[in-house]
Amino acid sequence: MFEKFNQLSFVIGVFFITVAIILIAGYFLSSALHFDINLYTGLGMMVFGLVMVNIKE
Amino acid sequence: MLYFKGINPTIAMHLHLADYLVIFVYFLFVIAVGFIIKKRIKSSNDFLNSNRSIPLWITSLAFISANLGAQEVLGMVASGAKYGIMTVHFYWVGAIFAMVFLGVFMMPFYYGSKARSVPEYLSMRFDEKTRALNAITFAVMTVFSSGISLYALAKLLEVILHWNFDLCIWLAAGIVMVYTFLGGLTSAVYNEVLQFFLIVLGLSPLVIVALHDAGGWSSIQANLQPELTHAWKYMDKAENNPLGVNFMSLIFGLGFVMSFGYWCTDFLVVQRAMIAKNMSEAQRTPIIAAIPKMFMPLIVVLPGIIAIALMQSALQSKGYAIPLDDNGGINYTMTLPSLIAHYYPTGLLGVGITALIASFMSGMAGNVTAFNSVFTYDIYQSYFVKNKSDQHYLTVGKLITLFGILFSIGTAYVAASFNNINDFLQLVFSFVNGPLFATFLLGMFWKRTTGHGAFWGLMIGTLAAAATHGLTIAEGKGGWIAPMYEISSGMGQAFIVAAFSWIANFFSTIIVSLFTKPKPDEALRGLVYSLTEKVYAKETKWYLRAGPLALILLIITIALNIIFF
């Protein structure tokens, strides 16, 4: 698992998944973040992050 | 120079926990990249040149990301608001053609010569004095640019978030220092790719919602003066368009002299192609990079056009306005921050702010890593301490990284104290950069060009740039020798200064070369086009070859210019 952090695409993927979790979780858990644009951006970043994580360099 | 004074206080943003969390996660990841790369650093070549082992997709994205600093992101959005769609000329005229030329014609010499830097190529092709001139001016320019980028970041965060200026300076510089010191060029390049995706994905939602709010492109066209929505139609005369230049000045000044001078000779960007795994990938790096570059106006020009459209009477109900400056005029520099403040709620606001921070840090790290390579190889190793162990140069490279960052911090404070010094430095830099491409063009394609010719051509070209600026005046600037000729815009003046400096360099290099002794042919093999064996691409698939890719890119670029004519 930690070996994968040597791959840049994996690191970028994990970063965007983390940001996506903040936005999506925030949308459902906090009224301050309950905006559609947060949800859609979070979902977009989640998809991008998952693709990057699964790319084999 | 980005202008921050006199901001309308309504732009001030207030971050919440989620926003800070996004910024913190970003800082955590960029530092983590430094630690991950650290274990790969065994030699000075690893630290300063990435051991020429970086995959194509990374070198390509790093190539444009090194240019995706504050000037690009904030500056181009500001230009989009001020000049409209004509700002795309900085991409479709002022970048793509030069990037393609670099990949197809120049990379074989940069990469094939095994030079570790652009100044080192100049020493192989010409002589030591030409290298020293280029290395010293480049090192000074990069470290000052890094400092100015740092100042701009701290000032922006102070204005829009009310963060402490000193804290912003030391925090941003400290983070860049950690990851560049640990992982050198590889770490900077990896983070540039992360920053590229962050800028694109972080600002894309802004473009979508703002465009939707403005009623789409057709509504923007309907509400703006036609000069702001046509790229070429009003370029026949300088006074007919907001750029204040005609198509001839634009094509020669920007499209040839300035564009080729930057993209084909500036080590900051060329370095990203020089660290590719092999010649084929080195050639394709700027060509692949040209693809996202071609569409970058969607992220950095379109928001500016949308912003100015939203301020027109028919769309004033949307409640958006670009802040004003001290004189009551529109402060275009604040276009992007004000759009972010208007459209991004908590959460995404953190993403937008992080994207801005990333653009500044990307620009700073790019400058610092190019500076340490040139200083270590082309100044320290060449003129001060030769023939030491590789470990010695690795240590020096790391120390120079620290020095570069500290010097940048010092420059940032100088910039904060003497605002005019930034304009002065950028003016001097333009004098030095303007004539550069003539030296490389002649050096690579005319074997008769001599070291004396190159050196004196550069000197005369730089003096010609200064003289042209001193004899012309535009928007109150220049004319310090005698204001003999008035130009309608500062942009037009910059193009004319660059054009004159290039012509002066080109002809003076030829004249001096004809009167001085050239290097023998044997010493120029691999460095000059006519004396270098043509290496044909080994790739069997056409889409992996530089030539066909370049051709497709040029066709698309021309098509885009026609579509938005």
Side-chain angles (χ1 to χ4, degrees), chain B residues 97-110:
Chain B
F97 294 99
M99 291 164 82
V100 165
F101 186 84
L102 171 68
V104 175
F105 294 108
M106 293 178 76
M107 278 320 295
F109 304 113
Y110 283 138

Side-chain angles (χ1 to χ4, degrees), chain B residues 136-350:
Chain B
I136 292 167
T137 52
F138 180 81
V140 171
M141 284 190 294
T142 46
V143 82
F144 273 106
S145 297
S146 169
I148 290 170
S149 189
L150 187 58
Y151 159 76
L153 167 66
K155 196 69 197 167
L156 179 72
L157 295 180
E158 184 187 38
V159 166
I160 63 174
L161 296 173
H162 303 305
W163 287 3
N164 180 277
F165 181 81
D166 298 317
L167 178 71
C168 294
I169 291 266
W170 288 94
L171 183 66
I175 290 167
V176 173
M177 184 191 285
V178 169
Y179 74 74
T180 51
F181 181 80
L182 289 172
L185 178 60
T186 310
S187 181
V189 161
Y190 275 34
N191 274 318
E192 280 165 7
V193 177
L194 173 61
Q195 286 151 356
F196 169 81
F197 285 118
L198 182 57
I199 291 164
V200 172
L201 294 180
L203 298 182
S204 293
L206 180 71
V207 180
I208 295 166
V209 292
L211 186 63
H212 181 261
D213 203 28
W217 180 245
S218 55
S219 166
I220 289 170
Q221 280 183 304
N223 282 292
L224 285 179
Q225 311 87 291
E227 307 92 85
L228 294 174
T229 55
H230 289 275
W232 288 99
K233 196 172 177 181
Y234 299 94
M235 294 295 293
D236 55 334
K237 289 179 185 169
E239 56 270 26
N240 288 352
N241 64 75
L243 267 184
V245 294
N246 63 36
F247 70 98
M248 288 293 287
S249 299
L250 183 91
I251 291 171
F252 188 70
L254 173 66
F256 183 62
V257 178
M258 291 176 82
S259 165
F260 282 66
Y262 175 72
W263 291 103
C264 299
T265 71
D266 194 314
F267 183 54
L268 173 63
V269 286
V270 175
Q271 185 181 33
R272 271 67 191 157
M274 289 171 80
I275 58 173
K277 282 179 177 175
N278 53 50
M279 173 72 87
S280 171
E281 295 199 357
Q283 279 196 278
R284 277 184 287 152
T285 291
I287 294 170
I288 300 291
I291 299 169
K293 185 76 184 172
M294 191 185 294
F295 298 104
M296 200 50 77
L298 287 172
I299 303 291
V300 295
V301 178
L302 186 54
I305 302 173
I306 298 169
I308 206 71
L310 286 168
M311 291 176 69
Q312 306 306 306
S313 53
L315 295 170
Q316 273 181 349
S317 61
K318 303 294 178 184
Y320 169 80
I322 304 172
L324 304 178
D325 60 23
D326 292 338
N327 304 318
I330 294 174
N331 187 342
Y332 291 101
T333 301
M334 297 310 293
T335 306
L336 182 60
S338 62
L339 280 170
I340 289 175
H342 187 75
Y343 286 108
Y344 276 5
T346 298
L348 204 48
L349 183 61

Side-chain angles (χ1 to χ4, degrees), chain A residues 13-38:
Chain A
V14 173
F15 170 77
F16 279 101
I17 289 171
T18 310
V19 175
I21 289 170
I22 294 171
L23 293 176
I24 296 168
Y27 174 83
F28 288 108
L29 300 176
S30 164
S31 58
L33 275 81
H34 195 77
F35 295 92
D36 288 348
I37 192 172
N38 277 340

